[in-house]
Amino acid sequence: MSEVEVICQRWRLCVRGGGYVSEVEVMCQRWRLCVRGGGYLSEVEVICQRWRLCVRGGGYVSEVEVICQRWRLSVRGGGYMSEVEVMCQRWRIYVRGGGYVSEVENICQRWRLCVRGGGYMSEVEVMCQRWRLYVRGGSWKQPALTQLSLASSLSRSTPYDKNSQKQKEITSAVTYDIAKDMAPVSVVEKPGFRKLINTLDPRFNLPSHKYFAEKALPELYIKVREELANQLTNVTHFSTTADIWSSRTCEPYLSLTVHYIDNWELKSKCLQTSFLPEDHTGGIIAQGLQDALMSWNLNEARQVCITTDNGANIVKAVSLNQWTCLQCFGHRLHLAIERSMKDTHIDHAVAVCKKVVSSFSFSWKRRRDLATAQQELNLPAHQLISESPTRWGSREKMIERVLKQEQVISQVLAADKKTRHLVLTWQDLEVLESVHKALKPLLKFTDALSGQSYVTVSYVKPVLHLFQSSLLAHQEDDTPLTQSIKASILDYLSEKYSDPSTNDLLDMAGLVDPRFKTTYCTEGKVEDIKSRALAEMEAMLSESDQGTAELAASHPQDATTASQPTEPLRKKTLGSFFKMAATSSSSTLSQRERIEKELSAYLQSVNVDSEANPLQWWNDHEEMFPNLKNVAKKYLCVPATSSPLERVFSTSGNIVTCQRASL
């Protein structure tokens, strides 16, 4: 097509008189300019009106002058530069052969187009490539349209076969999405989800709700269960956590999680959350826990410890199974704090504090007034925090927020006669400050000991020592109420952690932690802990030797292997004699002596920084302590709290929602 036709197609202008309008007419129609003298304005006049330039000498300025004024370019030789020179300066293009490149060459360089036939393409061809227009008149050839074959057209519109690889891959991905994101199975019948799948791949035939519920998801569960069971076969020692949870529909579930160390990484897996319709007696729970371990082929003798809360039924169940039990540190601290709060003054102050929070929680006007007062007094725009009965930390956070916002709270409550009685008195503030001072240092330790990706059990005794030595120790500025709270918490924790089995477990965990070793053990028990460690190291070594002997007996060497020619004798070096001497001296040591030497070397090594990762330390030093490393794997996998179960219950709560209460 000609340049005019290209411009017409670009701007989609109608033709006149059976042909295309001229270039001047196109510009006039584009800028909607009025005509002069019954005809169209000239191209120069159009440009002048477009840029609103003044005329010179009673007439319009030339097109070159218009461009120069538009781009504010200086003139050369007393006159204006040519249009080509203006473009070269505008695009900062170097000249060729001592002069400026032509306009066509300039456009080609601007759009970085390849040349044709050894030269530059014309301006029309450049525009055609830029706007991807087809040309007419032999200049450009219209690309040939390839028509699809009948078989190809049918294949693009035909759905995948149900046994095809692509159909299986997409179905597996949808199944994984439902399971991983805890989505309802009915999502496959939602119009939005079906439209999404159809847009991504129209040939994919989305299976029905029944297929995913009865076939795809059960198969995925079996696959994941088999993978986890294969991982657990190589676990020598493990610990567990167990508890009972009631769903939104008041249906009871028994959950069990397992914790172990694999390649010096702490692993935490949820084995099951099964329906428990029977009475929650100790005997039934004990049988349920045994059945859970048997279903996963886990030997009870390999279980180091089970971490539970302080429920009477779960404690009795563990006792009936004769398992070593560690009470959750978070639950015990919660009970210790609740016991210390049994005071009439504290009850009154906390009750008033709850009413204050409730008055703002259920009134949008007071919350608006609170935000306004906070802005006036330059206080943080924080909302008040409500207390959760099952979390002692929420009470401390509620008290702390009320004390920080006390000034604006009193201002808002005093402005309304209906809430003036809720203004905190100085007696209430004094009680709340005493409680806050006693509880604030304890809040961070509950969160720190609730992790499941790092070692926590060896921290229990150091934390208790820190409570006694500094955090809950008597201070000069403590009020009598603060001293009473601290003393009550310390007495309860000291009593509960004086249990011999619990103490032995914590001492062994501290011994194999290179950060603490015997630092927090009682002086009279250090030798007992060493003896127990030696006995366990010796038992594990004997068990390992027995397993090696059984493996060798079940796989005897072939006759061909035995008859293989030996290596030719080599001349001994001087260093080989010293190596033989060292080997013979070490072989004279008994198994007990070698184990004692290994434990002594470990205890004499330099302690690690308290913020270091003990598992990483053991990964770097396991070759130096080949027997003690097994004891470390045994005890460092125990969690100090039952927080892993609480996380499982939170996940379960997100599954059994109001819209899915029939699960």
Side-chain angles (χ1 to χ4, degrees), residues 73-74 81 84-93 100:
L73 299 172
S74 302
M81 295 181 291
V84 176
E85 293 171 339
V86 171
M87 288 187 177
C88 291
Q89 290 194 12
R90 176 187 176 188
W91 297 106
R92 299 176 183 175
I93 295 174
Y100 288 100

Side-chain angles (χ1 to χ4, degrees), residues 303-350:
Q303 180 177 246
V304 183
C305 172
I306 180 171
T307 305
T308 66
D309 60 7
N310 297 279
N313 52 358
I314 194 73
V315 172
K316 184 178 180 181
V318 175
S319 177
L320 291 175
N321 289 335
Q322 298 181 354
W323 294 347
T324 303
C325 180
L326 177 65
Q327 298 295 319
C328 173
F329 183 85
H331 282 87
R332 281 196 165 169
L333 184 60
H334 176 76
L335 294 177
I337 292 173
E338 280 191 345
R339 180 184 177 186
S340 67
M341 294 288 109
K342 293 180 179 180
D343 185 274
T344 55
H345 301 288
I346 297 178
D347 292 340
H348 179 269
V350 172

Side-chain angles (χ1 to χ4, degrees), residues 514 517 600-607 617 625:
K517 298 178 182 176
S600 177
Y602 167 74
L603 294 176
Q604 292 177 5
S605 61
V606 180
N607 286 355
W617 186 92
F625 311 103

